[in-house]
Amino acid sequence: MQDVDVVVIGGGQAGLSAGYFLRRSGMSFEILDAEAESGGAWQHAWESLHLFSPASWSSIPGWPMPASKQTYPMRSEVLNYLREYERRYELPVVRPVRVTRIARSGEKLAVEASDGRVWLAKAVINATGTWSQPYLPFYEGVDKFDGLQVHSANYVNAQPYVGKRVAIVGGGNSGAQILAEVSTVADTTWITQREPEFLPDEVDGRVLFERATEKWRAQQEGREPNVPEGGFGDIVMIPSVRDARTRGVLGSIRPPTRFTEAGMQWDDGTVREFDAVIWCTGFRAALAHLSELGVVDDQGLIDVDESRVRSRLVPSIWLLGYGDWNGAASATLVGVTRYAREVVSQVSSYVAEASPA
Ligand SMILES: Cc1cc2nc3c(=O)[nH]c(=O)nc-3n(C[C@H](O)[C@H](O)[C@H](O)COP(=O)(O)OP(=O)(O)OC[C@H]3O[C@@H](n4cnc5c(N)ncnc54)[C@H](O)[C@@H]3O)c2cc1C
């Protein structure tokens, strides 16, 4: 059993950002990560994925992401950056370690891994991301559908869809980017809850971050944010999406009422046949290992006071990097820094109180 001040669960960009500030705090800590390699969810993203902001707007604390030859860095550049970042700051990442359970152990927390190892910690920073929890909406008959079904979490490239009839479900950036790629080789139909919101061509993901920053400032100042309605997930018009618009494949229709063996059916009698459905319907936070503490609600969320879990019995867990519900833009590279800094500052005060010199 290892005894440390802080255990960070998750070694993606959020966990590493916490590690950067923990290193400077002087507290003892370890970062436990379920992956075999560095890079968190970026390892599983599709091959052609590019960031939607330039490198200068895609850095975690301390060392900036090196400039890219392209305006928008590729996925492989993010992976290199996170790997080098770990080395540069000599972050104590232990992998692969999957945490399966956290239990109270006196004033401390026992963090248990699937291989039987246990860490005892005064505080836990939970930075497990969402990639391991793909979300699939329920549709009547979907279990009878004969075609291929893939979530964007497992989408690699367009090759399996050549010459097929493919439905892309989901109106966010993943849906738009996968649609743009698959539509070059397949007959695609884009299915979205409502008409997608496209950003103007001349701006990029920086605008989404600026909107999130305004929301964060407004929260701090106790006023309403001055941002467009629902404007945090608007679609960034990266070159492939602009090209899809030029080819006339960026139109969308609303969801079906039910699935059939061969495809989908709408209430007005419309029927469409598909060979494959790609679900770009998002993710949920990976929090199963916290469930025994009684802090996870029916929606799979946790009540937080900013980033700290709101619980009288377990006051020593902080959540980092899940996006809007626990920090606007905290699920982006450039956005996670301010939350990591604040979380480590709070953890530091807590640990100092828990173990006075
Ligand atoms: C299509 C798309 C495009 C994007 N583009 C951008 C962009 O341009 N710019 C940007 O900044 N962001 C972008 N993002 C967002 C960003 O990539 C992710 O939100 C980011 O990976 C989240 O980082 P994280 O550290 O919170 O989680 P992750 O990267 O998921 O890391 C979490 C780590 O925790 C580990 N873990 C999970 N559960 C456990 C457990 N029980 N025990 C131990 N370890 C565990 C996981 O294995 C993983 O290694 C994009 C996302 C998508 C889907």
Side-chain angles (χ1 to χ4, degrees):
M1 194 178 294
Q2 309 214 37
D3 212 327
V4 287
D5 288 328
V6 186
V7 160
V8 179
I9 310 176
Q13 62 202 37
L16 299 188
S17 303
Y20 172 85
F21 291 110
L22 284 166
R23 201 11 116 240
R24 292 153 62 109
S25 76
M27 287 182 281
S28 62
F29 69 102
E30 287 202 328
I31 301 174
L32 312 181
D33 187 40
E35 299 288 334
E37 306 280 337
S38 58
W42 291 103
Q43 296 169 84
H44 305 292
W46 55 90
E47 288 171 353
S48 65
L49 180 64
H50 283 249
L51 293 182
F52 45 56
S53 314
S56 55
W57 276 69
S58 305
S59 301
I60 54 177
W63 181 48
M65 182 187 289
S68 171
K69 289 205 182 76
Q70 321 187 38
T71 313
Y72 301 111
M74 291 157 59
R75 182 181 82 100
S76 55
E77 293 174 274
V78 183
L79 287 171
N80 289 340
Y81 170 56
L82 295 180
R83 187 184 318 109
E84 286 307 314
Y85 187 94
E86 268 183 51
R87 285 204 195 120
R88 187 181 188 98
Y89 294 111
E90 297 178 344
L91 295 177
V93 187
V94 190
R95 60 166 68 94
V97 175
R98 176 163 294 283
V99 173
T100 47
R101 181 170 180 259
I102 299 186
R104 289 164 61 208
S105 175
E107 295 299 302
K108 296 187 178 177
L109 294 168
V111 179
E112 302 177 10
S114 56
D115 61 6
R117 280 185 281 176
V118 178
W119 281 256
L120 261 192
K122 292 177 185 139
V124 163
I125 298 175
N126 201 77
T128 48
T130 58
W131 210 271
S132 58
Q133 299 294 311
Y135 171 69
L136 289 171
F138 174 76
Y139 282 96
E140 186 191 324
V142 71
D143 50 330
K144 311 266 175 2
F145 176 60
D146 274 343
L148 178 69
Q149 293 191 56
V150 175
H151 191 275
S152 65
N154 304 113
Y155 172 83
V156 179
N157 58 38
Q159 212 278 325
Y161 309 100
V162 176
K164 302 233 164 93
R165 298 160 299 177
V166 184
I168 318 277
V169 184
N173 279 289
S174 311
Q177 291 185 25
I178 291 177
L179 171 84
E181 182 163 271
V182 174
S183 62
T184 60
V185 299
D187 174 14
T188 49
T189 301
W190 196 15
I191 298 175
T192 64
Q193 289 283 357
R194 58 192 77 81
E195 205 53 48
E197 297 284 343
F198 300 101
L199 284 170
D201 284 8
E202 61 278 10
V203 301
D204 60 27
R206 282 174 281 194
V207 165
L208 300 180
F209 180 68
E210 280 161 4
R211 290 177 182 179
T213 301
E214 162 59 9
K215 186 180 173 194
W216 177 76
R217 280 216 182 95
Q219 264 167 357
Q220 310 285 308
E221 293 163 14
R223 61 175 171 81
E224 281 300 304
N226 179 21
V227 289
E229 193 71 26
F232 302 110
D234 289 2
I235 291 166
V236 183
M237 299 306 286
I238 61 170
S240 63
V241 180
R242 289 210 294 269
D243 174 61
R245 183 182 57 197
T246 307
R247 286 183 283 114
V249 296
L250 214 47
S252 66
I253 59 170
R254 303 296 76 81
T257 316
R258 64 188 65 82
F259 274 66
T260 64
E261 284 180 12
M264 302 179 189
Q265 221 174 43
W266 280 258
D267 265 349
D268 65 0
T270 309
V271 173
R272 291 193 189 207
E273 296 192 346
F274 295 106
D275 303 304
V277 176
I278 306 178
W279 297 98
C280 303
T281 41
F283 298 84
R284 296 290 182 262
L287 303 172
H289 56 289
L290 297 173
S291 58
E292 275 189 41
L293 294 170
V295 293
V296 185
D297 70 18
D298 296 347
Q299 306 293 311
L301 296 179
I302 292 181
D303 187 20
V304 283
D305 179 6
E306 296 181 343
S307 300
R308 187 175 186 173
V309 173
R310 213 191 287 269
S311 163
R312 197 175 47 79
L313 289 177
V314 205
S316 47
I317 303 182
W318 280 257
L319 304 184
L320 182 63
Y322 297 94
D324 273 358
W325 66 277
N326 91 319
S330 63
T332 63
L333 287 155
V334 70
V336 74
T337 296
R338 63 175 158 236
Y339 299 100
R341 182 189 294 114
E342 178 59 25
V343 162
V344 172
S345 156
Q346 290 182 18
V347 168
S348 180
S349 305
Y350 176 83
V351 167
E353 271 174 38
S355 50

